[in-house]
């Protein structure tokens, strides 16, 4: 196992830059998830750590070694691909022990390691089968088995669950988490699925447009998003964003929403009088009531029952708003609803830069 | 018409057309066989018959025992076999490079390779003769192998490239992360999956070299380095054509090509990549 240090790494294809000055320190044994929309550079960064892409400038260290110029085979890392990338002409057993054979591992030890990995992943009965006879989930397991037999310095996962159906994805997610708990190997996991990111990560690295937007624990990113992108990307249903202006009224700081309504600003929020801002509030923080117990009035436009709770879409004078409630409410469309936006739950971003206002 | 009658007539039409095409395409081969077993005295006296009233293997015996044909045959096997192996080896490597790497001048290289396929080979006979003559490569099987290899590599490269393009890059990347060098990944992971492509390329080049006449005729004037297409011409003399013997030699020449395709057909029809990636 080893730490991974990424320092000032840039990547360009010709004149097109795809990664801008990425700095990231991953501790030994940590599970870090790179998350972001397609094309944000997360997979490129992972492939650079793996040695499958060259580094335009900067340095990547695995353990104490700078690996910039090292071939993938010499980096002692294992990778699970989105497409599984199993060797179709080899049996499951041979797929799993290929790396060991390349390292001239004694046959006895190889057999022991492979059977241990197979039983850990529930693959005992498939060892002599070819990958084409396996289901998607089983193939994914073989791909993981192939990685764990190596006991590498680090695991790299490139959207490993994207090709699985929702139920299987959930199951494999739990297995990956357990596996990491048992093995404790440093892992970098790339996904565009923020649920995977939230559930798996020790730390999340949110990326957009080749730039790291925020690094932090899942709850850090959820509760204190550093900019509009992170606020919008993390969380489902997505955060509500409302245009507003900061107002200083003597000692009191207020937020004037575009509807003209005024609400108290969160305590300690910075910014100046008249500054245009965007106010974010998570749907579960919007308090709604059909009994007119609220600050503002709106009406129900749509109700989405989710089983776990209900998403209520509200129409108000100037903005649409989503509220998530745990109760099973079934308001008819058009019902008048009172709602409240608690000051302590508001996220205030500069309207121009999209950055969170300093506190 | 009921639906079963309609499907029967569809079936008849379908297979009728196929049968017609097969008969049409294979009839010359049948005629080759028929003439090769027709004794000389019946060749012109029986008129047109589907099978002679009396058949004999005399032409075959003559060709095998009393002509240079076994030597031509051996030369052809050596030239075609070496060309096929050599071209496939080069094309596998260059096709892989074309498929996987971006390098400076790649477009120019592709353009050049296309150009080689564009003009009639007959234009090149004289310059190649002039080049080969001082090098001692005329009247030699090596000379033929070199020429055939040079002319077949471009097309074979495109062929192999298309097969490599069909194999996901992830596979060799996975192998390289597993600890293989790129060449080892190519050899142990990619090449086994490209066997259908290798077989197709081998087959294509082998048959092309096997039936090549122009260079074989122009670069070789001695019998001991002649290939069988040149040998076949030997049955044409100033005053007559020995059809029986020529056809017998032709039938014999078909055998290695048939054997070759029998050997590789398993790989030609096999889709080996199933199960490699999600599917």
């Amino acid at each position: 196992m080893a730490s991974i240090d990424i320092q000032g790494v840039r990547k360009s294809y010709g004149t097109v830059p795809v990664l801008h000055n990425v700095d990231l320190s991953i501790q030994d044994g940590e599970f870090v998830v790179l998350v972001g929309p397609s094309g944000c550079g997360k997979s490129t960064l992972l492939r650079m750590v793996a040695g499958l892409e060259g580094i335009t400038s900067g340095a990547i260290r695995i353990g104490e070694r700078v690996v910039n110029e090292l071939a993938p085979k010499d980096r002692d890392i294992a990778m699970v691909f989105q497409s599984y990338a199993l060797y179709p002409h080899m049996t499951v057993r041979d797929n799993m022990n290929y790396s060991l054979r390349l390292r001239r591992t004694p046959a006895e030890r190889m057999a022991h390691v492979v059977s241990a990995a197979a039983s850990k992943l529930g693959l005992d009965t498939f060892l002599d089968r070819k990958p084409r006879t396996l289901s998607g989930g089983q193939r994914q397991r073989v791909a993981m088995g192939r990685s764990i037999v190596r006991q590498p310095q680090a695991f790299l996962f490139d959207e490993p669950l994207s090709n699985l159906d929702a139920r299987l994805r959930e199951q494999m997610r739990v297995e990956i988490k357990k596996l990491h708990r048992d093995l404790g190997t440093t892992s970098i996991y790339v996904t565009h699925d923020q649920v995977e990111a939230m559930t798996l990560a020790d730390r999340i690295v949110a990326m957009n447009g080749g730039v790291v937007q925020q690094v932090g624990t899942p709850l850090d990113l959820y509760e204190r998003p550093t900019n509009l992108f992170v606020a919008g990307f993390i969380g489902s249903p997505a955060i509500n964003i409302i245009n507003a202006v900061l107002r200083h009224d003597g000692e009191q700081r207020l937020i004037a929403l575009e509807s003209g309504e005024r609400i108290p600003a969160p305590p300690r929020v910075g910014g100046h009088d008249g500054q245009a801002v965007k106010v974010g509030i998570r749907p579960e923080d919007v308090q709604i009531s059909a009994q007119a117990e609220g600050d503002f009035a709106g009406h129900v436009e749509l109700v989405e029952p989710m089983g776990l709770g209900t998403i209520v879409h509200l129409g108000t004078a100037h903005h649409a708003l989503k509220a998530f409630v745990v109760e099973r409410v079934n308001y008819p469309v058009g019902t008048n609803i009172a709602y409240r936006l608690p000051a302590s739950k508001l996220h205030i971003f500069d309207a121009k830069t999209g950055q969170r206002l300093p506190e | 018409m009921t639906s079963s009658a309609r499907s029967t007539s569809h079936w008849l039409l379908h297979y009728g057309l196929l049968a017609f095409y097969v008969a049409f395409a294979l009839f010359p081969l049948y005629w080759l066989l028929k003439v090769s077993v027709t004794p000389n005295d019946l060749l012109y006296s029986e008129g047109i018959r589907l099978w002679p009233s009396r058949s004999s293997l005399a032409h075959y015996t003559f060709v095998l025992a009393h002509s240079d044909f076994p030597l031509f045959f051996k030369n052809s096997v050596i030239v075609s076999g070496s060309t096929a192996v050599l071209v496939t080896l080069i094309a596998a490597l260059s096709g892989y490079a074309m498929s996987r790497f971006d390098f400076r001048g790649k477009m120019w290289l592709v353009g050049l390779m296309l150009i080689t396929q564009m003009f009639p080979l007959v234009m090149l006979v004289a310059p190649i003769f002039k080049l080969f003559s001082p090098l001692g490569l005329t009247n030699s099987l090596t000379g033929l192998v070199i020429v055939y290899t040079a002319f077949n590599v471009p097309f074979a490269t495109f062929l192999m490239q298309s097969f490599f393009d069909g194999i996901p890059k992830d596979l060799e990347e996975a192998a390289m992360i597993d600890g293989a060098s790129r060449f080892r990944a190519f050899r142990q992971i990619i090449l086994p999956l490209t066997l259908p492509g290798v077989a197709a390329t081998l087959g294509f080049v082998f048959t092309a070299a096997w039936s090549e006449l122009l260079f074989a005729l122009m670069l070789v004037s001695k019998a001991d380095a002649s290939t069988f297409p040149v040998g076949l011409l030997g049955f044409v003399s100033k005053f007559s054509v020995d059809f029986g013997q020529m056809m017998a030699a032709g039938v014999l020449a078909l055998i290695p090509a048939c054997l070759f395709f029998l050997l590789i057909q398993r790989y030609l029809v096999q889709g080996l990549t199933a199960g490699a990636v999600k599917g």
Side-chain angles (χ1 to χ4, degrees):
Chain A
M1 283 187 290
S3 57
I4 299 175
D5 242 329
I6 299 170
Q7 288 174 336
V9 161
R10 293 169 198 272
K11 173 76 182 173
S12 315
Y13 291 111
T15 54
V16 185
V18 289
L19 280 178
H20 310 267
N21 201 19
V22 174
D23 283 304
L24 185 62
S25 235
I26 299 167
Q27 282 156 29
D28 189 5
E30 200 177 15
F31 198 113
V32 166
V33 175
L34 307 181
V35 70
S38 311
C40 72
K42 56 192 190 299
S43 280
T44 307
L45 184 58
L46 187 81
R47 290 168 59 81
M48 285 159 82
V49 174
L52 299 172
E53 297 277 351
I55 299 168
T56 307
S57 69
I60 296 181
R61 272 194 187 78
I62 300 177
E64 294 305 311
R65 285 190 304 177
V66 175
V67 296
N68 285 26
E69 301 298 328
L70 275 190
K73 73 183 176 76
D74 300 320
R75 296 192 181 197
D76 195 15
I77 36 127
M79 183 156 164
V80 179
F81 291 79
Q82 179 180 1
S83 65
Y84 320 135
L86 302 180
Y87 313 131
H89 56 304
M90 294 184 187
T91 59
V92 168
R93 186 192 311 278
D94 288 341
N95 262 282
M96 285 170 69
N97 67 25
Y98 183 66
S99 60
L100 301 176
R101 273 184 288 151
L102 291 177
R103 283 171 178 71
R104 301 186 196 289
T105 312
E108 224 169 81
R109 161 145 184 80
M110 208 150 69
H112 171 73
V113 174
V114 169
S115 80
S119 67
K120 197 180 204 63
L121 293 162
L123 289 168
D124 314 72
T125 51
F126 304 116
L127 281 176
D128 292 314
R129 293 188 22 193
K130 293 271 176 71
R132 65 170 165 273
T133 64
L134 305 181
S135 69
Q138 290 161 346
R139 286 181 201 179
Q140 186 58 71
R141 253 175 253 247
V142 177
M144 298 211 327
R146 194 167 64 177
S147 300
I148 63 175
V149 295
R150 295 253 315 268
Q151 300 178 326
Q153 300 263 33
F155 284 133
L156 309 179
F157 297 88
D158 191 4
E159 310 213 18
L161 307 183
S162 301
N163 289 335
L164 302 178
D165 61 53
R167 204 177 61 84
L168 208 50
R169 201 179 309 166
E170 202 177 294
Q171 192 185 330
M172 292 302 291
R173 210 169 65 206
V174 174
E175 284 186 31
I176 290 177
K177 189 148 190 167
K178 279 187 188 156
L179 210 61
H180 181 252
R181 191 192 58 201
D182 294 349
L183 303 174
T185 309
T186 314
S187 304
I188 308 182
Y189 187 106
V190 162
T191 181
H192 59 264
D193 181 346
Q194 49 102 13
V195 178
E196 269 171 38
M198 293 289 286
T199 50
L200 284 170
D202 291 328
R203 274 193 307 156
I204 295 181
V205 178
M207 293 181 67
N208 191 30
V211 177
V212 172
Q213 305 287 325
Q214 187 171 3
V215 182
T217 65
L219 287 181
D220 266 349
L221 268 72
Y222 192 77
E223 288 174 347
R224 291 189 51 75
T226 188
N227 58 29
L228 272 173
F229 169 79
V230 177
F233 196 79
I234 303 286
S236 171
I239 196 167
N240 296 293
I241 301 288
I242 307 166
N243 293 323
V245 177
L246 275 187
R247 290 283 174 224
H248 291 188
D249 190 2
E251 278 303 290
Q252 206 182 7
R253 295 178 152 216
L254 294 171
I255 294 168
L257 302 181
E258 60 183 340
S259 55
E261 295 150 338
R262 291 182 167 221
I263 51 176
R268 297 189 305 279
V269 74
H272 56 82
D273 187 34
Q275 183 172 4
V277 294
K278 288 186 186 281
V279 176
I281 182 158
R282 300 242 172 239
E284 67 270 24
D285 293 331
V286 176
Q287 297 170 356
I288 60 170
S289 148
Q291 273 85 45
E293 292 166 5
D295 302 332
F296 311 116
H299 60 273
V300 173
E301 285 194 330
L302 186 71
V303 175
E304 290 183 284
M306 296 184 73
L308 187 64
T310 313
I311 304 174
V312 181
H313 294 253
L314 297 178
T316 67
H318 285 81
H319 48 258
L321 205 60
K322 285 189 299 276
F324 179 81
V325 291
V326 188
E327 298 85 41
R328 300 208 171 148
V329 294
N330 195 10
Y331 302 121
V333 171
T335 308
N336 287 327
I337 293 280
Y339 65 93
R340 182 173 289 158
L341 308 174
S344 63
K345 301 290 187 185
L346 299 181
H347 306 271
I348 315 293
F349 304 97
D350 184 280
K352 276 201 204 94
T353 62
Q355 295 301 313
R356 189 183 188 91
L357 289 194
E359 287 168 19
Chain B
M1 215 173 7
T2 66
S3 72
S4 81
R6 193 176 305 141
S7 73
T8 311
S9 64
H10 273 176
W11 187 90
L12 278 176
L13 191 69
H14 186 84
Y15 283 97
L17 280 173
L18 279 178
F20 174 74
Y21 171 73
V22 169
F24 183 78
L26 292 184
F27 190 78
L29 288 181
Y30 167 73
W31 210 246
L32 185 79
L33 186 72
K34 184 240 165 187
V35 175
S36 74
V37 296
T38 307
N40 270 339
D41 53 329
L42 296 183
L43 207 52
Y44 299 106
S45 56
E46 277 202 315
I48 295 171
R49 290 172 62 122
L50 275 181
W51 198 250
S53 56
R54 182 160 51 79
S55 61
S56 99
L57 294 176
H59 297 313
Y60 289 91
T61 323
F62 180 86
V63 164
L64 288 173
H66 303 293
S67 75
D68 279 339
F69 194 78
L71 174 67
F72 301 154
F73 197 81
K74 190 184 87 188
N75 288 343
S76 266
V77 170
I78 293 172
V79 169
S80 308
S82 335
T83 307
V85 170
L86 210 58
V87 169
T88 308
L89 208 66
I90 298 171
L93 295 173
S94 55
Y96 180 80
M98 289 285 182
S99 167
R100 294 300 200 253
F101 303 132
D102 270 320
F103 48 88
R104 204 174 298 161
K106 184 174 175 182
M107 282 314 294
W108 286 103
L109 196 62
V110 171
L112 268 177
M113 281 164 62
L114 274 177
I115 286 174
T116 63
Q117 306 292 295
M118 281 176 188
F119 41 82
L121 292 181
V122 71
M123 280 164 55
L124 297 176
V125 171
I128 284 180
F129 188 86
K130 283 294 268 182
L131 281 170
F132 275 25
S133 182
L135 297 172
L137 289 172
T138 52
N139 281 324
S140 99
L141 298 183
T142 318
L144 284 183
V145 172
I146 292 173
V147 174
Y148 294 168
T149 303
F151 287 119
N152 279 302
V153 158
F155 182 78
T157 297
F158 293 134
L159 198 63
M160 285 306 296
Q161 182 194 346
S162 68
F163 281 101
F164 287 124
D165 284 345
I167 293 181
K169 239 177 159 175
D170 284 0
L171 284 182
E172 73 231 57
E173 291 182 347
M176 277 152 58
I177 285 177
D178 266 351
S181 62
R182 185 177 275 277
F183 187 67
R184 189 192 279 266
F186 171 74
R187 214 160 37 88
Q188 294 185 336
I189 306 295
I190 304 301
L191 212 51
L193 299 174
T194 332
L195 282 182
V198 170
T201 311
L202 272 174
F204 171 81
V205 178
F206 185 87
T207 42
W210 187 254
S211 51
E212 206 283 338
L213 178 62
L214 182 65
F215 284 96
L217 193 62
M218 297 300 183
L219 295 182
V220 177
S221 55
K222 289 190 190 143
D224 57 358
S226 283
T227 55
F228 100 88
V230 180
L232 278 187
L233 287 180
F235 294 104
V236 183
S237 63
K238 201 168 178 185
F239 303 106
S240 68
V241 179
D242 243 322
F243 277 116
Q245 289 163 17
M246 193 190 224
M247 301 290 182
V251 171
L252 290 173
L254 278 177
I255 294 172
C258 291
L259 278 180
F260 191 76
F261 274 94
L262 270 180
L263 272 178
I264 61 173
Q265 61 90 24
R266 189 166 77 89
Y267 301 105
L268 277 179
V269 294
Q270 206 172 40
L272 261 174
T273 49
V277 293
K278 70 151 184 156

